[in-house]
Amino acid sequence: MKSFPANFTTEKNKTTGTSPVWILKIPFAFHGTKYFSDREIIIGTWEGGVTTMGIVRSWGSIDESISSDIGISQVSDFSVSMVNLIPPAPFTESIATYLWTATNNVETIKCELYLWFLGLDLSTNPPQKMWTGTIRDFQLVGETVCEIQFVDEGVCLDKYIGEEITTTDYPGCDPDDLGKIAPIGYGALKEVVCLAIDAGGVTTLAADLSKTGTTIT
């Protein structure tokens, strides 16, 4: 069971009083770590100083249940609706820019959801991590609203066992074999299918071809 600092627990269990603040942390590969909330707040000493992008339009509930078949926990997921507009300075880009930048690889990002209460002492009662997961899907709803679906990190464990063929490890691999998982041999093997990890260079011609040319450089 997760434990919280004393003052945090007091605020969490109140039905009136200090306002709770949900903060979504997304560490984008290209644009860096961004923090989102339904309001813009400055949390000066948490994680080196944080200013949240107050563009969250609505928070979906975290949906989690227990399987009735064998009594095991199922994955939890939730959705967030954000306004797709550039917030005030110091921000210069909208949420769509982050999500549709290919180098951010958003489906592989480990996202974190935090809960905090305004007025608490950050040194003793910082925001508390309540949930972790990844982005499952995202889409624009009209021109000004972006819907993002998250699923918990348990789904990340559902991966193939073995080594993935990438151009980083195998620059000469066959493009058709990119992303495939290399077979793991065990015991006496016959007629094992191999992947072309050294299929030759893939590059451009050193000189243009002409319709009358007879050689290729």
Side-chain angles (χ1 to χ4, degrees):
M1 180 179 293
K2 186 176 179 63
S3 59
F4 301 100
N7 289 345
F8 187 95
T9 300
T10 299
E11 295 298 333
K12 180 174 69 69
N13 294 334
K14 283 182 178 180
T15 56
T16 60
T18 306
S19 177
V21 178
W22 289 98
I23 303 168
L24 178 63
K25 175 183 176 181
I26 306 181
F28 294 107
F30 181 77
H31 289 95
T33 300
K34 304 297 180 184
Y35 299 82
F36 302 90
S37 186
D38 52 14
R39 70 199 77 181
E40 181 180 320
I41 57 174
I42 299 175
I43 309 178
T45 59
W46 180 55
E47 300 205 348
V50 167
T51 299
T52 64
M53 297 179 65
I55 60 173
V56 174
R57 185 168 171 259
S58 63
W59 300 96
S61 61
I62 297 178
D63 183 16
E64 185 174 29
S65 60
I66 303 297
S67 170
S68 60
D69 295 331
I70 53 179
I72 61 174
S73 179
Q74 295 177 328
V75 298
S76 60
D77 56 10
F78 76 102
S79 62
V80 173
S81 176
M82 295 189 186
V83 178
N84 184 40
L85 297 173
I86 300 176
F91 305 106
T92 59
E93 295 165 314
S94 66
I95 182 62
T97 301
Y98 302 140
L99 295 174
W100 270 272
T101 297
T103 49
N104 276 327
N105 296 318
V106 294
E107 288 85 358
T108 64
I109 296 175
K110 181 179 179 180
C111 308
E112 299 174 341
L113 184 64
Y114 289 82
L115 176 61
W116 191 56
F117 294 88
L118 295 176
L120 287 181
D121 185 346
L122 285 169
S123 62
T124 56
N125 294 271
Q128 298 294 302
K129 186 189 302 182
M130 307 298 288
W131 186 91
T132 60
T134 57
I135 295 175
R136 180 176 61 185
D137 196 12
F138 53 90
Q139 60 181 337
L140 283 175
V141 181
E143 296 183 356
T144 59
V145 177
C146 185
E147 294 284 346
I148 311 173
Q149 289 80 45
F150 297 85
V151 66
D152 77 21
E153 60 183 347
V155 174
C156 295
L157 301 178
D158 184 19
K159 301 294 183 184
Y160 291 110
I161 297 175
E163 180 182 7
E164 181 181 358
I165 304 301
T166 66
T167 53
T168 301
D169 297 326
Y170 303 102
C173 68
D174 189 324
D176 290 339
D177 287 336
L178 274 177
K180 293 183 179 179
I181 304 299
I184 301 175
Y186 180 79
L189 304 175
K190 293 182 179 180
E191 299 180 3
V192 178
V193 176
C194 295
L195 303 179
I197 60 174
D198 192 8
V202 178
T203 183
T204 56
L205 295 175
D208 291 338
L209 296 176
S210 67
K211 62 182 179 180
T212 59
T214 58
T215 61
I216 296 177
T217 304

